[in-house]
Amino acid sequence: MTPGASIAVVSQKGGVGKTTTAVNVAAAFARRGLKTLLIDVDPQGSVRYGAGLRPGHPIHGFADYLAGTRALREILLPTALPWLRVVLAGSVSEALDHSDYLVRFGETDLLARLVAEASDRCDVVVLDTPPGLGPVTRAALQAADRVLVPLQAEPLALQTTPQILRGVQDIVATHPRLVFDGILLTMFEAGNPACETTATYLRQKVPAHLLLDLVIPRSPALAEAFAAGQPAVVRAPADPAAQAYVNLAMRLAARFGR
Ligand SMILES: Nc1ncnc2c1ncn2[C@@H]1O[C@H](COP(=O)(O)OP(=O)(O)O)[C@@H](O)[C@H]1O
Ligand SMILES: [Mg+2]
């Protein structure tokens, strides 16, 4: 069997829907029967709240593996979906200071080794990353073979697009083997003039191959599902945003041949 794909969800900005995208696209892959591993390397560790982990699950994760205090088998956690397993950020998400974690990240290739090993056993590995292009995100880009960049459809996107594009170009230039899956517009509100203007502007300014034509609508179901501890594609599968994530997963899986 050819190795599975590995997709890093990356953005310079916080609050654009990276975690929501990583969790829902991973759950959508798993619901299609693809063996999926979701790895949270953001020291904020938000994945643990919304990935459908079993009640009473441990919170150790990648940071503890990195620190040598937990073995790999201890950090691979089952979820409510049989084909989805999760590696949480770990105890770093309870700590106020993340500097040890950041330093360790820069010093090892443990993430790349974990992703390579997981790709041999899984159809797809999804990586949720912290905002920005710091050492953790760069390690995730080094480890992954594809990258997806969520961008919130809001007027501020007009000002930040050149910066986002520079970031994307930087990623593509420094990781030539990465497949760029595209910029994904999130929190899109059809009929909202500011959103529509933003989307139109982006379609004019951003080369078509860098911008996915599928958009994720704004929907309260995403945050509600997260608050209830589950991916929206599991809790509210009929919701338009959940369906958009299912379609995204289908589109991506077709690209990497699963
Ligand atoms: N399509 C959407 N519609 C409505 N709210 C959303 C949508 N995507 C994300 N959110 C909400 O926006 C906030 C930030 O999303 P999150 O995925 O945590 O972003 P990031 O990981 O980039 O910081 C969360 O409260 C999340 O529930
Ligand atoms: Mg996040």
Side-chain angles (χ1 to χ4, degrees):
M1 200 174 78
T2 51
S6 47
I7 308 174
V9 182
V10 164
S11 161
Q12 283 109 316
K13 290 190 64 189
V16 297
K18 283 185 299 301
T19 300
T20 304
T21 296
V23 164
N24 280 287
V25 88
F29 284 137
R31 291 198 70 192
R32 285 177 62 79
L34 297 182
K35 201 172 173 195
T36 306
L37 178 65
L38 170 63
I39 306 178
D40 187 2
V41 292
D42 180 355
Q44 300 283 340
S46 314
V47 163
R48 75 164 147 139
Y49 302 111
L53 290 160
R54 302 203 174 141
H57 66 83
I59 75 123
H60 47 245
F62 190 74
D64 309 287
Y65 177 56
L66 200 56
T69 54
R70 292 285 170 179
L72 185 54
R73 62 186 157 71
E74 294 178 282
I75 61 164
L76 287 168
L77 306 181
T79 69
L81 293 172
W83 294 112
L84 178 63
R85 291 215 273 177
V86 173
V87 171
L88 296 179
S91 49
V92 67
S93 61
E94 311 258 276
L96 295 176
D97 180 13
H98 299 156
S99 47
D100 275 0
Y101 174 76
L102 299 179
V103 169
R104 281 213 182 86
F105 233 103
E107 286 171 348
T108 79
D109 64 349
L110 221 50
L111 180 64
R113 296 216 309 261
L114 171 61
V115 171
E117 246 175 75
S119 302
D120 282 337
R121 292 177 173 78
C122 299
D123 293 299
V124 55
V125 179
V126 179
L127 293 151
D128 187 24
T129 69
L133 294 175
V136 173
T137 302
R138 291 198 178 272
L141 290 168
Q142 206 67 50
D145 53 26
R146 318 181 70 94
V147 58
L148 182 65
V149 179
L151 175 63
Q152 188 178 345
E154 50 153 10
L156 187 62
L158 306 182
Q159 280 87 49
T160 54
T161 302
Q163 191 193 334
I164 301 280
L165 282 178
R166 268 204 308 281
V168 165
Q169 276 150 6
D170 176 57
I171 291 167
V172 173
T174 45
H175 302 87
R177 110 208 122 67
L178 265 183
V179 174
F180 189 77
D181 273 316
I183 295 172
L184 172 69
L185 280 184
T186 61
M187 306 187 212
F188 181 76
E189 285 173 66
N192 173 326
C195 267
E196 300 275 8
T197 309
T198 308
T200 307
Y201 171 87
L202 289 169
R203 302 242 172 260
Q204 285 162 357
K205 295 287 169 198
V206 179
H209 69 282
L210 295 182
L211 183 61
L212 284 155
D213 57 5
L214 178 159
V215 302
I216 307 298
R218 179 178 283 282
S219 164
L222 293 177
E224 275 160 24
F226 208 87
Q230 280 186 342
V233 297
V234 173
R235 190 177 170 85
D239 177 79
Q243 287 184 350
Y245 278 119
V246 169
N247 291 337
L248 174 65
M250 217 163 14
R251 179 99 56 106
L252 295 175
R255 286 186 186 174
F256 57 75
R258 299 277 166 149

